[in-house]
Amino acid sequence: MFGRECWYWDNNNVSDYNYVEPKSFTLPSPLPQWPQGKGFAKGKISLGEIEAVQITKFKKIWNCSPLFGKSKSVSFYKPDETPQGFSIVGHYCQPDGEKNITGYVLAVKDLSAIQKPKKSLPALEKPLNYTLVYSANVLYKEVGYIWLPNAPVGYKPMGFVVTVEPNEPNLDEVRCIRADLTEKCEACEVVFSSNSLFTKIQFQVWKTRPCKRGMLCRGVSVGTFFCSTSFMKGDDLTVACLKNLDSSLQAMPNLEQVHALIKHYGPTVYFHPNEIYLPSSVPWFFKNGALLFKDGKNNGIAIDSKGSNLPAGGRNDGKYWLDLPSKDVENRDVVKCGKTETAELYVHVKPAEGGTFTDLAMWIFCPFNGPATLKVGLLNLAMNKVGEHVGDWEHYTLRMSNFTGEIWSVYFSEHSGGEWVDARDLEFIEGNRSIVYASRNGHASFPHPGCYLQGSTKLGIGVRNDCAKSKYYVDSSSKYQIIAAEYLGEGAIVEPPWLQYMREWGPTIEYKSGYEVDEIINHLPSFFRFSVESLVELFPTELYGEAGPTGPKEKNNWFGDERW
């Protein structure tokens, strides 16, 4: 893993490069006094034999800028202001050019003497020594070093240590964790990658996350980084993450605190000014003529406002589906267009990162998803049918730190995928409430206005997602309903009957949508046609037909983590 390379490193004077040291991010408004209860927003979280605190203040160790190549610079930091009795588990890094530091590193305290009074290995131990993983130099004068702690038998390192001296770090710098208190983690997002013409060694730095994620998983990210000169996808990492062994999840918010979080942070969802197919509440959809169909039956049956007569539980077996009112009913087009005044966000509250964070997954329902618009170079090609389907469910997710109650990031769901956006990059509308933009016709969520292309942005070919403010909006801080919070225990939240409907909220698309796309391709200039044909696979699956969409509880992110 060891490598040496020619770099420009500067840990003192960076003014010549217009470098501004980033500061810890702060929200636009102060946090409120959260309602009292259990361990939420108390600053410390018990993970069983370990107590953890979240360190968000750092001191820079050094920053590096490659002398040659196209690699961007990166800075490494040591956690600062660690509370007495706590120890850090590694250092932190992030790319340069960002105004704020939004990451964290956990510091830990050994509770094993209290939790396990019998003979047992302590939860924390000093490393035996360190292995030099990477050094960077100018004219062979080494000025930056990255070290891996060598843990005692039965323990795991959590992160790396960075120095500007060639001597091994002090053994008191970090602590290793007893192996049974840890879980495997994986490299997820590249923070830095060297691109040097002078060596075959490629030094890379990644963010890490637990391999197993979701509301039933116990892995806890510690906020450190992973680095290597020889890492291959599929390799085991030399560092681990923590595991929450406290089954009570005492840091999760109680119901009163959940309501306070939603009212303080709930975003406003803006729909496009030219949006035709707006949201509604689920009961409004049912009361205005939505029908339940069963395989083999020609006629649908009316659905009561709560969805009590929908088939509940099981799995999506394709035997049932919902549809708009019959085609001969005048109300059909009215239902397709929704009714924003009735719309509300349906909130699923669940643990994340082993209960050190809370996810508020906010689902919004639209009775109908409109046709797509394809962008091919400078051409915008409006579809007549392609992309249409009945019953559109979209969502975004707020992730809150259970250490402080501070919003950490928002997940914007975008058709078959999505992205996490740090709080610093959100657009705030009032206090700490952000904005979510729903794309025209497709209702995918985005953090800022504009046109987002689903396809190849490099070639300018794909499906348009146009976002803008308008008079059509839903304020989720006041118009919401908590539909599930399993961790609160049975009976705390009464789930609505329609949530148990695991089948399709719209009929399977039967028209030959591919013909519409093919016809457009055939009318394009020949020099463009081949490129479009080769990129059709980048378009969403609904362009060529798909089964009707399923409801929130049937989605894999109901129990699992968001896809990213």
Side-chain angles (χ1 to χ4, degrees), residues 10 72-73 75 101 109 242 377 397 419-420 503 524:
D10 185 358
K72 296 180 180 180
S73 58
S75 288
I101 292 178
K109 182 178 182 180
L242 288 171
T397 298
E419 65 170 341
W420 284 103
R503 277 79 172 185
L524 291 173

Side-chain angles (χ1 to χ4, degrees), residues 320-339:
Y320 295 89
W321 63 90
L322 306 187
D323 205 348
L324 299 167
S326 301
K327 294 181 179 180
D328 57 351
V329 176
E330 185 178 349
N331 198 41
R332 181 180 174 90
D333 287 339
V334 173
V335 175
K336 283 178 70 172
C337 294
K339 194 171 182 64

Side-chain angles (χ1 to χ4, degrees), residues 35 81 108 119 137 187 206 221 242 279 295 383 430 437 481 545:
E81 299 184 13
V108 293
K119 290 184 178 180
N137 64 83
W206 293 265
S221 294
L242 288 171
D295 190 26
M383 304 288 98
E430 182 180 338
Y437 291 92
Q481 178 186 346

